[in-house]
Amino acid sequence: MATTVEAAGLTAAAREAVRDLILVLADSKRLLGMRYGQWILGAPELEAAIACAAMAQDEWGHARQFYALLKDFGEDVSALEHGRESHQYASMEALDAEPEDWFGLIALNALADTALSVQCEALRGSSYMPLAQRVEKLLDEERFHGAHGVAWFNRLARSGGAAAEAMAVAAEAALPGILQWFGPDSERAKLVVEAGVVDAAGSALRERYLERIGGLLDELGARGAALRSHTPSFDGFDEARRRVSTTGPDAETVARIRGDKNRMFLVD
Amino acid sequence: MSTVYEVFARKARGEPLRHIGWLTAPDDDLARVYAYQMYDEERWFDMWIAPRDRLLEVFNSDRNTALGR
Protein backbone atom coordinates (compact mmCIF):
# COMPACT_ATOMS: atom_id res chain seq x y z
CA MET A 1 0.00 0.00 0.00
CA ALA A 2 1.22 3.45 -0.85
CA THR A 3 1.38 6.43 1.45
CA THR A 4 1.26 9.31 -1.03
CA VAL A 5 -1.02 10.19 -3.88
CA GLU A 6 1.86 9.92 -6.35
CA ALA A 7 3.04 6.59 -4.98
CA ALA A 8 -0.50 5.19 -4.81
CA GLY A 9 -0.36 4.78 -8.56
CA LEU A 10 -3.92 5.95 -9.04
CA THR A 11 -5.02 6.94 -12.52
CA ALA A 12 -5.96 10.60 -12.96
CA ALA A 13 -9.65 9.68 -12.94
CA ALA A 14 -9.34 7.56 -9.78
CA ARG A 15 -7.34 10.27 -8.13
CA GLU A 16 -10.05 12.81 -8.83
CA ALA A 17 -12.70 10.44 -7.49
CA VAL A 18 -10.73 9.91 -4.26
CA ARG A 19 -10.27 13.63 -3.81
CA ASP A 20 -14.01 14.19 -4.29
CA LEU A 21 -14.86 11.42 -1.81
CA ILE A 22 -12.57 12.90 0.84
CA LEU A 23 -14.19 16.32 0.40
CA VAL A 24 -17.68 14.78 0.62
CA LEU A 25 -16.72 13.12 3.92
CA ALA A 26 -14.98 16.23 5.29
CA ASP A 27 -17.85 18.59 4.42
CA SER A 28 -20.52 16.18 5.64
CA LYS A 29 -18.79 15.64 8.95
CA ARG A 30 -18.21 19.36 9.38
CA LEU A 31 -21.91 20.01 8.78
CA LEU A 32 -23.07 17.11 10.96
CA GLY A 33 -20.90 18.52 13.74
CA MET A 34 -22.62 21.89 13.31
CA ARG A 35 -26.05 20.22 13.52
CA TYR A 36 -25.09 18.40 16.75
CA GLY A 37 -23.63 21.64 18.06
CA GLN A 38 -26.78 23.61 17.30
CA TRP A 39 -28.76 21.18 19.47
CA ILE A 40 -26.58 21.31 22.59
CA LEU A 41 -28.96 23.89 24.07
CA GLY A 42 -32.12 22.24 22.75
CA ALA A 43 -31.56 18.67 23.91
CA PRO A 44 -34.34 17.25 26.11
CA GLU A 45 -32.03 16.22 28.97
CA LEU A 46 -28.64 17.37 30.25
CA GLU A 47 -27.03 14.03 29.40
CA ALA A 48 -28.24 14.29 25.79
CA ALA A 49 -26.86 17.84 25.58
CA ILE A 50 -23.46 16.58 26.69
CA ALA A 51 -23.73 13.77 24.13
CA CYS A 52 -24.42 16.35 21.40
CA ALA A 53 -21.36 18.34 22.47
CA ALA A 54 -19.21 15.20 22.44
CA MET A 55 -20.50 14.10 19.04
CA ALA A 56 -20.02 17.59 17.58
CA GLN A 57 -16.44 17.58 18.78
CA ASP A 58 -15.82 14.13 17.29
CA GLU A 59 -17.30 15.11 13.92
CA TRP A 60 -15.26 18.31 13.74
CA GLY A 61 -12.15 16.30 14.52
CA HIS A 62 -12.93 13.81 11.78
CA ALA A 63 -13.64 16.63 9.32
CA ARG A 64 -10.30 18.23 10.16
CA GLN A 65 -8.47 14.98 9.45
CA PHE A 66 -10.19 14.56 6.10
CA TYR A 67 -9.55 18.17 5.05
CA ALA A 68 -5.88 17.76 5.96
CA LEU A 69 -5.62 14.79 3.57
CA LEU A 70 -6.53 17.06 0.67
CA LYS A 71 -3.18 18.82 0.94
CA ASP A 72 -1.67 15.79 -0.83
CA PHE A 73 -4.01 16.52 -3.72
CA GLY A 74 -2.64 20.04 -4.09
CA GLU A 75 -5.58 21.71 -2.35
CA ASP A 76 -5.36 24.84 -0.21
CA VAL A 77 -6.79 23.30 2.97
CA SER A 78 -7.37 26.58 4.79
CA ALA A 79 -9.30 27.99 1.82
CA LEU A 80 -11.38 24.83 1.67
CA GLU A 81 -12.18 24.96 5.37
CA HIS A 82 -12.83 28.66 5.73
CA GLY A 83 -13.11 30.26 2.32
CA ARG A 84 -16.02 28.68 0.49
CA GLU A 85 -19.58 29.68 -0.28
CA SER A 86 -22.53 27.44 0.44
CA HIS A 87 -22.95 26.15 -3.12
CA GLN A 88 -19.35 24.92 -3.12
CA TYR A 89 -19.92 22.48 -0.27
CA ALA A 90 -20.07 18.77 -1.00
CA SER A 91 -21.97 17.88 2.18
CA MET A 92 -24.90 15.49 2.35
CA GLU A 93 -28.18 17.17 1.40
CA ALA A 94 -29.90 15.87 4.53
CA LEU A 95 -27.58 18.19 6.49
CA ASP A 96 -28.46 21.37 4.56
CA ALA A 97 -30.86 22.73 7.19
CA GLU A 98 -30.76 22.78 10.98
CA PRO A 99 -33.23 20.16 12.29
CA GLU A 100 -36.41 21.86 13.43
CA ASP A 101 -36.96 19.52 16.36
CA TRP A 102 -35.25 16.79 18.37
CA PHE A 103 -36.81 14.12 16.12
CA GLY A 104 -35.02 15.67 13.14
CA LEU A 105 -31.73 15.67 15.03
CA ILE A 106 -32.18 12.02 15.99
CA ALA A 107 -32.98 11.15 12.35
CA LEU A 108 -29.62 12.69 11.40
CA ASN A 109 -27.88 10.93 14.29
CA ALA A 110 -29.38 7.48 13.59
CA LEU A 111 -29.54 7.66 9.79
CA ALA A 112 -27.12 10.24 8.33
CA ASP A 113 -24.27 9.66 10.81
CA THR A 114 -24.61 5.90 10.22
CA ALA A 115 -24.49 6.41 6.44
CA LEU A 116 -21.19 8.27 6.83
CA SER A 117 -19.87 5.43 8.99
CA VAL A 118 -20.87 2.80 6.43
CA GLN A 119 -18.99 4.83 3.82
CA CYS A 120 -15.95 5.06 6.12
CA GLU A 121 -16.06 1.31 6.81
CA ALA A 122 -15.73 0.75 3.06
CA LEU A 123 -12.35 2.54 3.33
CA ARG A 124 -10.92 0.23 6.02
CA GLY A 125 -8.75 -1.74 3.62
CA SER A 126 -8.26 1.13 1.19
CA SER A 127 -5.40 0.98 -1.29
CA TYR A 128 -4.98 4.67 -0.50
CA MET A 129 -3.28 4.18 2.84
CA PRO A 130 -3.79 7.64 4.41
CA LEU A 131 -7.52 6.93 4.31
CA ALA A 132 -7.22 3.38 5.65
CA GLN A 133 -5.06 4.66 8.51
CA ARG A 134 -7.52 7.32 9.59
CA VAL A 135 -10.85 5.54 9.49
CA GLU A 136 -10.10 2.94 12.16
CA LYS A 137 -9.92 5.30 15.14
CA LEU A 138 -12.73 7.39 13.75
CA LEU A 139 -14.99 4.35 13.54
CA ASP A 140 -14.19 3.53 17.19
CA GLU A 141 -15.69 6.87 18.21
CA GLU A 142 -18.57 6.42 15.82
CA ARG A 143 -19.76 3.28 17.63
CA PHE A 144 -21.04 5.55 20.38
CA HIS A 145 -22.71 7.95 17.95
CA GLY A 146 -24.52 4.99 16.45
CA ALA A 147 -25.53 3.70 19.87
CA HIS A 148 -26.85 7.13 20.84
CA GLY A 149 -28.86 7.39 17.62
CA VAL A 150 -30.30 3.90 17.93
CA ALA A 151 -31.19 4.23 21.63
CA TRP A 152 -33.00 7.53 21.05
CA PHE A 153 -34.66 6.40 17.83
CA ASN A 154 -36.03 3.29 19.54
CA ARG A 155 -37.10 5.21 22.62
CA LEU A 156 -39.10 7.69 20.52
CA ALA A 157 -40.44 5.16 17.99
CA ARG A 158 -41.63 2.87 20.80
CA SER A 159 -43.23 5.60 22.86
CA GLY A 160 -46.46 5.47 20.83
CA GLY A 161 -48.64 8.48 20.10
CA ALA A 162 -47.33 11.80 18.89
CA ALA A 163 -43.64 11.10 19.55
CA ALA A 164 -43.65 7.88 17.52
CA GLU A 165 -45.46 9.66 14.70
CA ALA A 166 -42.95 12.53 14.74
CA MET A 167 -40.04 10.07 14.67
CA ALA A 168 -41.53 8.31 11.62
CA VAL A 169 -42.09 11.65 9.86
CA ALA A 170 -38.49 12.72 10.54
CA ALA A 171 -37.14 9.39 9.23
CA GLU A 172 -39.31 9.68 6.10
CA ALA A 173 -37.98 13.17 5.49
CA ALA A 174 -34.30 12.20 5.88
CA LEU A 175 -33.93 8.69 4.48
CA PRO A 176 -34.69 9.01 0.73
CA GLY A 177 -31.97 11.63 0.33
CA ILE A 178 -29.51 9.55 2.33
CA LEU A 179 -30.20 6.49 0.15
CA GLN A 180 -29.60 8.64 -2.92
CA TRP A 181 -26.35 9.91 -1.38
CA PHE A 182 -24.67 6.51 -1.86
CA GLY A 183 -24.96 7.22 -5.59
CA PRO A 184 -25.62 5.23 -8.76
CA ASP A 185 -23.73 2.17 -10.06
CA SER A 186 -21.78 4.36 -12.44
CA GLU A 187 -18.40 4.20 -14.14
CA ARG A 188 -17.03 6.30 -11.33
CA ALA A 189 -18.35 3.90 -8.69
CA LYS A 190 -16.77 0.99 -10.58
CA LEU A 191 -13.51 2.88 -10.89
CA VAL A 192 -13.01 3.47 -7.15
CA VAL A 193 -13.84 -0.15 -6.34
CA GLU A 194 -11.48 -1.49 -9.01
CA ALA A 195 -8.69 0.81 -7.77
CA GLY A 196 -9.19 -0.72 -4.31
CA VAL A 197 -9.96 2.68 -2.78
CA VAL A 198 -13.28 1.39 -1.38
CA ASP A 199 -14.53 -2.18 -1.12
CA ALA A 200 -18.03 -1.25 -2.30
CA ALA A 201 -19.89 1.69 -3.85
CA GLY A 202 -23.31 2.64 -5.19
CA SER A 203 -26.07 0.09 -4.65
CA ALA A 204 -23.76 -2.42 -2.89
CA LEU A 205 -22.99 0.15 -0.22
CA ARG A 206 -26.63 1.22 -0.08
CA GLU A 207 -27.61 -2.42 0.60
CA ARG A 208 -25.04 -2.63 3.37
CA TYR A 209 -26.48 0.54 4.88
CA LEU A 210 -30.08 -0.69 4.66
CA GLU A 211 -29.04 -3.84 6.46
CA ARG A 212 -27.39 -1.76 9.18
CA ILE A 213 -30.48 0.36 9.82
CA GLY A 214 -32.91 -2.55 9.34
CA GLY A 215 -33.73 -2.72 13.05
CA LEU A 216 -34.72 0.95 13.07
CA LEU A 217 -36.94 0.57 10.00
CA ASP A 218 -38.62 -2.42 11.70
CA GLU A 219 -39.64 -0.08 14.52
CA LEU A 220 -41.61 1.98 11.99
CA GLY A 221 -43.70 -0.99 10.81
CA ALA A 222 -45.27 -0.64 7.37
CA ARG A 223 -43.82 2.83 6.99
CA GLY A 224 -40.35 1.42 7.59
CA ALA A 225 -40.96 -1.30 5.00
CA ALA A 226 -41.95 1.38 2.47
CA LEU A 227 -38.74 3.26 3.20
CA ARG A 228 -36.69 0.09 2.78
CA SER A 229 -38.04 -0.49 -0.72
CA HIS A 230 -37.58 3.13 -1.78
CA THR A 231 -35.66 3.35 -5.07
CA PRO A 232 -33.63 6.52 -5.33
CA SER A 233 -33.66 8.53 -8.55
CA PHE A 234 -30.38 9.89 -9.88
CA ASP A 235 -31.77 12.52 -12.24
CA GLY A 236 -29.44 15.48 -12.00
CA PHE A 237 -27.21 13.73 -9.44
CA ASP A 238 -23.76 15.32 -9.29
CA GLU A 239 -21.40 12.43 -8.56
CA ALA A 240 -18.57 14.68 -7.41
CA ARG A 241 -20.65 16.44 -4.71
CA ARG A 242 -23.05 13.52 -4.30
CA ARG A 243 -26.00 15.87 -4.43
CA VAL A 244 -28.88 16.82 -6.69
CA SER A 245 -29.44 20.24 -5.17
CA THR A 246 -27.05 22.82 -6.62
CA THR A 247 -27.30 24.97 -3.50
CA GLY A 248 -25.77 23.96 -0.16
CA PRO A 249 -26.11 24.30 3.60
CA ASP A 250 -27.96 27.32 5.06
CA ALA A 251 -26.03 30.57 4.74
CA GLU A 252 -25.90 31.27 8.49
CA THR A 253 -24.24 27.95 9.27
CA VAL A 254 -21.73 28.38 6.44
CA ALA A 255 -20.89 31.87 7.75
CA ARG A 256 -20.26 30.38 11.19
CA ILE A 257 -18.03 27.66 9.74
CA ARG A 258 -16.09 30.30 7.81
CA GLY A 259 -15.78 32.32 11.00
CA ASP A 260 -16.99 35.52 9.31
CA LYS A 261 -17.59 37.30 12.61
CA ASN A 262 -14.12 36.50 13.90
CA ARG A 263 -12.20 37.12 10.71
CA MET A 264 -10.40 40.15 12.16
CA PHE A 265 -8.86 37.93 14.83
CA LEU A 266 -7.52 35.39 12.35
CA VAL A 267 -3.83 34.75 12.93
CA ASP A 268 -1.80 32.70 10.49
CA MET B 1 -39.05 7.21 34.41
CA SER B 2 -35.37 8.11 34.50
CA THR B 3 -32.94 6.01 36.52
CA VAL B 4 -29.84 7.23 38.30
CA TYR B 5 -26.74 5.27 37.33
CA GLU B 6 -23.42 5.33 39.17
CA VAL B 7 -20.32 5.29 36.95
CA PHE B 8 -17.10 3.41 37.74
CA ALA B 9 -13.83 3.18 35.83
CA ARG B 10 -10.17 2.26 36.16
CA LYS B 11 -7.05 3.71 34.62
CA ALA B 12 -5.21 0.46 33.98
CA ARG B 13 -5.72 -3.27 33.98
CA GLY B 14 -5.49 -4.66 37.52
CA GLU B 15 -6.20 -1.36 39.26
CA PRO B 16 -9.20 -1.08 41.58
CA LEU B 17 -12.44 0.22 40.10
CA ARG B 18 -13.03 3.86 41.07
CA HIS B 19 -16.32 5.69 41.44
CA ILE B 20 -16.11 8.61 39.01
CA GLY B 21 -19.64 10.04 38.88
CA TRP B 22 -23.29 9.49 38.09
CA LEU B 23 -25.90 10.27 35.48
CA THR B 24 -29.59 9.81 34.78
CA ALA B 25 -30.92 7.92 31.77
CA PRO B 26 -34.21 6.30 30.74
CA ASP B 27 -32.66 2.89 29.97
CA ASP B 28 -29.42 0.89 30.10
CA ASP B 29 -28.57 1.50 26.43
CA LEU B 30 -28.66 5.28 26.71
CA ALA B 31 -26.98 5.12 30.12
CA ARG B 32 -23.96 3.37 28.57
CA VAL B 33 -23.71 5.97 25.80
CA TYR B 34 -24.12 8.87 28.21
CA ALA B 35 -21.48 7.44 30.55
CA TYR B 36 -18.98 7.14 27.72
CA GLN B 37 -19.69 10.63 26.45
CA MET B 38 -19.78 12.37 29.83
CA TYR B 39 -16.75 10.75 31.42
CA ASP B 40 -14.34 10.41 28.50
CA GLU B 41 -12.02 13.21 29.60
CA GLU B 42 -9.50 10.61 30.73
CA ARG B 43 -8.18 7.56 28.98
CA TRP B 44 -9.85 4.78 30.95
CA PHE B 45 -9.01 1.12 30.67
CA ASP B 46 -12.62 0.12 31.30
CA MET B 47 -15.86 1.69 32.53
CA TRP B 48 -18.92 0.27 34.27
CA ILE B 49 -22.33 1.55 35.27
CA ALA B 50 -24.91 0.30 37.76
CA PRO B 51 -28.36 1.59 38.68
CA ARG B 52 -28.00 3.39 42.02
CA ASP B 53 -30.94 1.45 43.50
CA ARG B 54 -29.07 -1.82 42.90
CA LEU B 55 -26.17 -0.74 45.14
CA LEU B 56 -26.74 -2.34 48.53
CA GLU B 57 -25.32 -0.88 51.72
CA VAL B 58 -23.33 -3.33 53.84
CA PHE B 59 -22.54 -1.02 56.76
CA ASN B 60 -22.08 2.65 57.56
CA SER B 61 -19.85 3.86 60.41
CA ASP B 62 -21.45 7.32 60.70
CA ARG B 63 -24.93 5.99 61.15
CA ASN B 64 -23.73 2.86 62.93
CA THR B 65 -25.79 0.61 60.67
CA ALA B 66 -24.96 -2.91 59.56
CA LEU B 67 -26.50 -5.06 56.88
CA GLY B 68 -28.59 -2.13 55.75
CA ARG B 69 -30.34 -1.71 59.12
Side-chain angles (χ1 to χ4, degrees):
Chain A
M1 288 203 277
T3 52
T4 65
V5 183
E6 290 74 27
L10 296 170
T11 62
R15 190 181 153 135
E16 191 188 315
V18 175
R19 176 218 165 263
D20 291 344
L21 173 60
I22 295 171
L23 187 59
V24 163
L25 286 170
D27 281 350
S28 297
K29 282 184 164 284
R30 173 58 57 84
L31 257 298
L32 181 58
M34 293 303 289
R35 300 310 174 207
Y36 284 138
Q38 285 160 337
W39 272 86
I40 296 173
L41 294 179
E45 53 200 22
L46 177 66
E47 284 81 357
I50 293 169
C52 281
M55 294 190 290
Q57 227 175 349
D58 288 344
E59 296 300 343
W60 290 329
H62 302 166
R64 263 260 139 108
Q65 291 194 11
F66 282 125
Y67 284 123
L69 284 180
L70 291 169
K71 196 165 165 239
D72 292 343
F73 293 78
E75 299 285 347
D76 177 343
V77 173
S78 172
L80 275 180
E81 278 202 75
H82 306 291
R84 284 178 301 156
E85 301 293 330
S86 169
H87 69 274
Q88 295 170 306
Y89 275 76
S91 46
M92 200 185 258
E93 263 180 73
L95 302 168
D96 277 2
E98 182 180 342
E100 285 173 15
D101 51 32
W102 183 245
F103 303 97
L105 194 273
I106 292 305
L108 294 186
N109 183 190
L111 302 174
D113 203 343
T114 305
L116 291 170
S117 291
V118 167
Q119 176 66 69
C120 287
E121 284 166 20
L123 291 162
R124 268 189 161 137
S126 182
S127 57
Y128 186 50
M129 203 151 155
L131 274 174
Q133 285 167 336
R134 272 160 189 82
V135 292
E136 213 54 55
K137 181 169 180 293
L138 170 162
L139 287 168
D140 258 4
E141 293 174 351
E142 287 294 340
R143 286 188 305 170
F144 288 90
H145 296 203
H148 184 268
V150 167
W152 262 103
F153 190 104
N154 288 339
R155 180 185 179 188
L156 296 170
R158 290 170 189 168
S159 66
E165 171 64 20
M167 193 60 253
V169 168
E172 284 167 343
L175 195 61
I178 296 171
L179 292 174
Q180 183 189 57
W181 178 79
F182 286 101
D185 292 327
S186 60
E187 282 307 309
R188 177 186 269 248
K190 220 162 87 185
L191 182 79
V192 285
V193 174
E194 278 168 5
V197 174
V198 289
D199 69 358
S203 60
L205 214 48
R206 190 163 32 250
E207 282 307 313
R208 230 181 250 182
Y209 170 69
L210 277 169
E211 205 166 296
R212 182 70 51 86
I213 62 163
L216 299 177
L217 296 180
D218 288 345
E219 295 292 336
L220 303 179
R223 293 167 80 172
L227 284 173
R228 187 181 276 117
S229 57
H230 172 83
T231 311
S233 145
F234 297 105
D235 287 346
F237 187 77
D238 174 353
E239 283 199 68
R241 294 173 72 218
R242 290 177 55 169
R243 304 168 53 92
V244 170
S245 158
T246 52
T247 58
D250 68 285
E252 197 189 324
T253 299
V254 171
R256 284 174 66 187
I257 291 172
R258 274 199 308 259
D260 288 358
K261 282 185 183 165
N262 303 314
R263 195 136 289 233
M264 65 176 108
F265 303 115
L266 204 61
V267 182
D268 273 326
Chain B
M1 85 166 232
S2 260
T3 304
V4 178
Y5 291 81
E6 300 292 348
V7 185
F8 306 86
R10 73 186 117 209
K11 295 287 279 183
R13 181 186 285 108
E15 276 190 7
L17 214 47
R18 218 165 86 199
H19 182 239
I20 58 168
W22 61 273
L23 58 90
T24 64
D27 56 53
D28 291 353
D29 287 344
L30 264 179
R32 281 198 183 92
V33 177
Y34 287 164
Y36 173 80
Q37 284 167 336
M38 289 174 75
Y39 295 101
D40 70 336
E41 74 282 1
E42 292 197 54
R43 237 176 210 291
W44 303 108
F45 169 71
D46 60 355
M47 186 183 288
W48 301 76
I49 55 170
R52 182 179 283 171
D53 65 10
R54 294 302 300 139
L55 298 182
L56 307 182
E57 185 183 287
V58 177
F59 68 85
N60 181 300
S61 305
D62 265 356
R63 286 186 275 113
N64 196 26
T65 57
L67 302 174
R69 280 182 275 272

